[in-house]
Amino acid sequence: MPYNIAMVSDNFYPQPGGVESHMYQLSSKLIDRGHKVIIITHAYEGRTGVRYLTNGLKVYHVPFWTIYRETTFPTVFSFFPIFRNIVIREEIEIVHGHASLSNLCNEAILHARTMGLRTAMTDHSLFGFADAGSILTNKLLKFTLSDVDHCICVSHTCKENTVLRASLDPSMVSVIPNAVVAENFRPLSHTEASHRHNAPGPPQRLGPDEIITIVVISRLFYNKGVDLLIASIPRILATNPNVRFLIAGNGPKAIDLEQMIERNVLQEKVLLLGPVRHEEVRDVMVQGHIYLHPSLTEAFGTVIVEAASCGLYVVCTRVGGIPEVLPSHMTEFAAPEEDDIVAVTGRAIVKLREGKVRTDLFHNQVKQMYSWTDVAERTERVYDGISGALSYEEFYPDGGTGLASRGRAGVRSFALIDRLKRYYGCGIWAGKLFCLCAVVDYLLYIFLEIFAPRERIDICKNWPKKVVKEGKGKEKEGDAATAKEEHGSGRKKRPHHRREKREEQGES
Amino acid sequence: MIAVLKRLSSPPPQTLRTLQPTPSTVSYTVSTRPLSRTLPAILAFYIGVAVRILLGASTLVLLWTKWRVSSAKSTGLLSWVFRAAGEESLARFAESLPWKYLAPSALLLLWLVLQRGYKEESLTVLRGLGLQTSTTSSLHLRTPTTRFIPTTSIQDIFIHEAFKGFEVRFYLAVVVKGEDDVVVVFPRMLPRRAVLEDVWRGARACLYEEKGRDKASLKE
């Protein structure tokens, strides 16, 4: 059953990152499965208005003021009129928010519930519980999640964290991991012919004098463990002379890293590449043998899957959801401390030199483990569950207990009084504040229904779907004509469209 | 109650008028001017025009009288139209009104009289020549803003969406060679999608004769 889905988040392209690529890949796979997907995000510099991406994925760049790290200013209600307009004109049924820190996502879920739409939310990050910022964020998350239909986390650790932060019933939280497009992360030696049919050859050993390159690709923020990296690089290089470092990415810690290099005179052994684009990540990765990921907190860590897919041996800290991501033969785990990282990196170097690790096989293994099609299928099942297509018992096999006041099978009721009950339980003060917000939101909704009624909003035409496998030439012609009719510049997208189709065929 | 509020807040209804004297010329006009068909509506329209003219003329006469009176010139011209008694009472009336009240209120009245009260925007397509967009000004007596784009510099004409206030609206735009911004057709009215699609189809068929006809047959 095809749905009309709106993905909402502050984070989207052109800004690079994990959430962005997750949203894009998931959306395009859902479109392939016959759904209609649009993305709502805020306007970026040079990226405003309504745009179409490959495959007819429509992106609304809502003009909003951004404050911190590309997050919009939280105004709670100001997003409602335009959000309602978009939802009505696109005939949206399910609103899917991404990233708990994104203000647009939180607001969209509140408004969507007011409008009587199904909502889901994907949480991509882990948070603490102790400091003031976290407490505030957690309250906000609780506000959003106390009335969401279903929640999706990218790893089991992330699920645990989210359940604790927002006091949710664990059964209404699903785990659907990220995935990688394995084709974009091929190792250097990988050729289609040699790896498809032939058995893998003998392991290649690295000589004791051969240079081993350690790659680090990360935004240089505190939470990515740049301080650990800075402390351990000189020690690793001191014990292992034939090692080089290749570091890509930028951020506030880049200066510290440069100072470390200056202080220890390591310019010859540590190469800083600065920021790299996502398409270039693979080209950087294949230059190395080991991928070092010293992150302090990580919900999933797509980048280590990408590294393994490129045939790199992964050394990472045992934090957050990282231990769930890759099987043990691809990784070496370290505690998030300087001594252990040095020791484990040394061990990984020795293992590589002995030829004990078959990094050349990683690519195909990763390819089998992670695919976006699988992620889309699992997300679709969540949509079925929240919209009542799956029965309650089917969707929650162990019987969710916390889903009080549900209407139809497993579906949360939209009645304002039920929503207020859920919000009221959020805390002594917060509960009342949240109730107030919900009531104001509802009044605003009624106001908009009167002064900007639905019949005054035009319904959009859907992007013409490609008809699969019947009369190729004819279909293409008709397709192009309808696309042109949709809007003139649609034609320009056709080559991409076809290219992707070809790639899919190559894959299968 | 809600229906009343909805009606009060609704924008005036827009109508699309198509004028195609020859197959190679077509003009689309989107207007909020109400079409008066019934006799009372027609009567009301003409009475409205008459009242406006009368109001405007009497304001001008009053201003003229005031000017003559205050600069101590003869207002003899008035006795041609009105009789001597009328002239005298008018002059006295004008004298009793101070300039500081008369001038602004007269300007306001003139402005109100000249208000058009409706908006009209049009697109004229001439095959082989180009197209012209036009927007009426909000006052009578002022010429509409027009823009002519020759065929050689039209690159494309398309419908797209954009954010406008708290809404996303469809618009019809013309891409002009050598300009960074597109030219939006019907920029103030922004008619609804159905209207835009009609105009778009007709304009394309008229601009690109052969290709347009192909597409029309494909659509059917």
Side-chain angles (χ1 to χ4, degrees):
Chain A
M1 179 183 167
Y3 299 110
N4 294 342
I5 304 151
M7 303 271 178
V8 190
S9 181
D10 269 328
N11 312 71
F12 195 64
Y13 293 130
Q15 178 188 241
V19 182
E20 290 82 354
S21 76
H22 178 107
M23 280 171 72
Y24 175 69
Q25 298 289 352
L26 177 62
S27 306
S28 51
K29 290 297 171 200
L30 283 171
I31 288 175
D32 287 346
R33 295 182 65 79
H35 302 285
K36 167 183 173 180
V37 186
I38 62 159
I39 287 176
I40 303 174
T41 181
H42 67 80
Y44 287 84
E45 201 171 317
R47 201 65 67 96
T48 53
V50 183
R51 292 195 172 225
Y52 286 90
L53 303 184
T54 317
N55 226 0
L57 177 61
K58 196 173 186 180
V59 187
Y60 285 90
H61 290 278
V62 183
F64 258 113
W65 181 38
T66 60
I67 39 168
Y68 172 66
R69 274 170 86 166
E70 291 299 346
T71 303
T72 48
F73 185 72
T75 49
V76 189
F77 304 114
S78 67
F79 180 46
F80 198 8
I82 205 152
F83 176 74
R84 177 175 165 278
N85 191 286
I86 293 172
V87 161
I88 291 173
R89 71 204 306 275
E90 297 283 353
E91 301 178 294
I92 295 301
E93 296 153 342
I94 294 173
V95 174
H96 189 160
H98 288 265
S100 57
L101 260 191
S102 141
N103 166 55
L104 275 192
C105 158
N106 289 312
E107 284 191 26
I109 286 175
L110 171 69
H111 304 324
R113 290 296 300 181
T114 306
M115 291 181 69
L117 304 172
R118 299 291 158 205
T119 51
M121 169 153 171
T122 302
D123 199 357
H124 294 259
S125 40
L126 300 176
F127 281 96
F129 301 91
D131 57 301
S134 302
I135 291 170
L136 215 65
T137 324
N138 292 349
K139 266 293 181 234
L140 188 68
L141 188 74
K142 204 167 171 178
F143 177 40
T144 313
L145 289 189
S146 54
D147 196 31
V148 80
D149 286 293
H150 202 82
C151 185
I152 299 169
C153 289
V154 290
S155 65
H156 287 278
T157 315
C158 179
K159 170 175 174 176
E160 198 179 298
N161 186 270
T162 306
V163 164
L164 286 175
R165 280 160 65 205
S167 348
L168 290 174
D169 174 15
S171 65
M172 66 167 286
V173 184
S174 298
V175 175
I176 300 177
N178 280 331
V180 292
V181 186
E183 284 66 44
N184 296 347
F185 293 94
R186 292 203 179 103
L188 209 52
S189 60
H190 188 92
T191 47
E192 283 297 314
S194 70
H195 278 262
R196 187 150 284 184
H197 306 294
N198 303 356
Q204 295 144 340
R205 296 183 60 164
L206 288 166
D209 293 332
E210 259 183 87
I211 303 284
I212 285 191
T213 309
I214 301 181
V215 181
V216 179
I217 298 178
S218 140
R219 277 170 292 139
L220 303 176
F221 283 102
Y222 166 75
N223 60 347
K224 298 288 176 191
V226 182
D227 295 316
L228 278 179
L229 186 69
I230 290 168
S232 39
I233 286 177
R235 294 180 57 189
I236 294 170
L237 288 176
T239 44
N240 305 281
N242 289 328
V243 166
R244 299 286 178 272
F245 273 90
L246 201 58
I247 301 174
N250 66 345
K253 292 277 179 186
I255 291 178
D256 295 358
L257 204 59
E258 277 166 28
Q259 279 177 347
M260 180 276 292
I261 294 170
E262 301 270 323
R263 210 178 310 121
N264 297 291
V265 201
L266 294 173
Q267 283 90 339
E268 288 191 356
K269 296 197 166 183
V270 182
L271 187 61
L272 289 182
L273 293 178
V276 288
R277 295 218 308 272
H278 193 244
E279 314 78 280
E280 298 165 348
V281 164
R282 184 253 172 194
D283 302 333
V284 176
M285 277 183 174
V286 293
Q287 296 172 32
H289 304 90
I290 291 178
Y291 183 77
L292 179 60
H293 194 66
S295 187
L296 297 180
T297 162
E298 193 79 64
F300 183 80
T302 319
V303 69
I304 64 175
V305 185
E306 291 169 352
S309 175
C310 287
L312 268 68
Y313 195 42
V314 176
V315 177
C316 55
T317 45
R318 192 187 287 277
V319 294
I322 289 179
E324 301 167 31
V325 170
L326 287 175
S328 54
H329 71 272
M330 292 188 191
T331 43
E332 282 284 338
F333 289 113
E337 58 186 41
E338 192 189 327
D339 292 338
D340 211 33
I341 286 183
V342 174
V344 168
T345 314
R347 204 156 68 220
I349 292 167
V350 171
K351 270 196 181 174
L352 267 186
R353 290 213 194 279
E354 285 173 345
K356 278 186 182 167
V357 194
R358 297 297 307 269
T359 50
D360 48 334
L361 306 181
F362 284 4
H363 176 70
N364 283 340
Q365 290 164 354
V366 168
K367 202 163 135 185
Q368 277 165 14
M369 278 188 283
Y370 290 104
S371 96
W372 283 110
T373 317
D374 176 52
V375 172
E377 269 167 36
R378 290 160 80 175
T379 313
E380 197 180 272
R381 189 167 178 279
V382 169
Y383 294 154
D384 283 340
I386 58 177
S387 60
L390 281 179
S391 73
Y392 182 71
E393 287 73 27
E394 242 181 304
F395 191 45
Y396 298 107
D398 46 351
T401 45
L403 295 177
S405 65
R406 55 194 148 82
R408 289 181 293 134
V411 172
R412 292 202 144 187
S413 94
F414 291 118
L416 183 62
I417 189 70
D418 289 332
R419 298 181 58 219
L420 289 182
K421 275 181 202 158
R422 283 180 223 126
Y423 285 130
Y424 196 73
C426 284
I428 301 170
W429 287 104
K432 291 173 181 88
L433 185 68
F434 295 168
C435 280
L436 197 68
C437 286
V439 169
V440 171
D441 208 50
Y442 190 72
L443 291 176
L444 193 60
Y445 177 56
I446 292 175
F447 178 83
L448 288 172
E449 283 291 318
I450 293 172
F451 290 101
R454 277 158 197 267
E455 53 280 10
R456 229 177 278 158
I457 298 171
D458 281 323
I459 307 295
C460 285
K461 276 191 173 177
N462 289 345
W463 184 262
K465 288 257 162 58
K466 51 181 173 186
V467 190
V468 191
K469 278 169 198 123
E470 47 156 7
K472 265 273 158 76
K474 207 177 107 190
E475 166 242 307
K476 228 170 249 173
E477 202 178 273
D479 209 330
T482 32
K484 241 184 265 177
E485 206 172 290
E486 174 73 25
H487 83 98
S489 58
R491 273 170 306 171
K492 289 163 199 158
K493 270 101 192 173
R494 309 316 287 181
H496 293 285
H497 190 148
R498 260 179 239 138
R499 197 184 311 143
E500 197 182 76
K501 208 151 76 182
R502 219 177 299 135
E503 267 171 21
E504 272 169 22
Q505 281 164 358
E507 186 185 331
S508 56
Chain B
M1 160 77 175
I2 283 176
V4 169
L5 279 178
K6 267 188 189 177
R7 207 170 50 225
L8 280 180
S9 68
S10 73
Q14 302 177 348
T15 49
L16 172 71
R17 274 182 284 129
T18 314
L19 190 69
Q20 189 159 22
T22 63
S24 58
T25 313
V26 65
S27 149
Y28 294 96
T29 311
V30 179
S31 146
T32 58
R33 191 212 296 246
L35 274 178
S36 38
R37 290 261 165 71
T38 56
L39 188 67
I42 294 172
L43 275 179
F45 172 72
Y46 283 114
I47 290 171
V49 171
V51 165
R52 275 162 176 250
I53 291 174
L54 213 66
L55 259 178
S58 47
T59 316
L60 285 176
V61 166
L62 194 64
L63 274 180
W64 182 82
T65 319
K66 177 71 183 169
W67 168 60
R68 297 299 280 194
V69 167
S70 59
S71 55
K73 284 174 184 156
S74 110
T75 55
L77 219 64
L78 278 177
S79 56
W80 278 34
V81 188
F82 312 102
R83 270 154 299 167
E87 181 202 340
E88 198 168 319
S89 62
L90 195 67
R92 229 179 296 123
F93 177 61
E95 211 173 350
S96 69
L97 284 173
W99 268 117
K100 65 175 172 180
Y101 299 121
L102 182 66
S105 47
L107 278 180
L108 184 75
L109 211 62
L110 282 177
W111 182 75
L112 281 177
V113 160
L114 287 180
Q115 274 299 305
R116 197 179 285 271
Y118 62 88
K119 282 185 266 181
E120 213 166 68
E121 289 181 306
S122 71
L123 171 73
T124 312
V125 187
L126 302 159
R127 183 181 302 155
L129 283 175
L131 52 82
Q132 173 166 292
T133 61
S134 118
T135 304
T136 55
S137 63
S138 59
L139 295 179
H140 285 287
L141 307 181
R142 253 168 62 187
T143 51
T145 339
T146 58
R147 165 91 203 258
F148 180 77
I149 306 163
T151 313
T152 44
S153 55
I154 298 173
Q155 286 194 317
D156 201 356
I157 172 163
F158 63 83
I159 297 176
H160 198 39
E161 295 137 278
F163 289 93
K164 170 99 178 155
F166 282 123
E167 277 184 306
V168 185
R169 296 293 293 264
F170 284 96
Y171 63 91
L172 181 65
V174 183
V175 185
V176 182
K177 204 176 281 175
E179 280 186 26
D180 288 341
D181 293 327
V182 293
V183 176
V184 179
V185 185
F186 313 129
R188 279 171 60 203
M189 314 271 289
L190 294 174
R192 301 194 50 162
R193 201 193 71 190
V195 172
L196 287 182
E197 278 176 3
D198 277 355
V199 175
W200 181 79
R201 254 184 223 116
R204 281 192 82 94
C206 198
L207 271 181
Y208 316 107
E209 170 183 20
E210 295 308 317
K211 278 182 269 170
R213 210 163 284 160
D214 274 1
K215 197 169 306 123
S217 65
L218 247 176
K219 204 176 72 54
E220 258 113 61

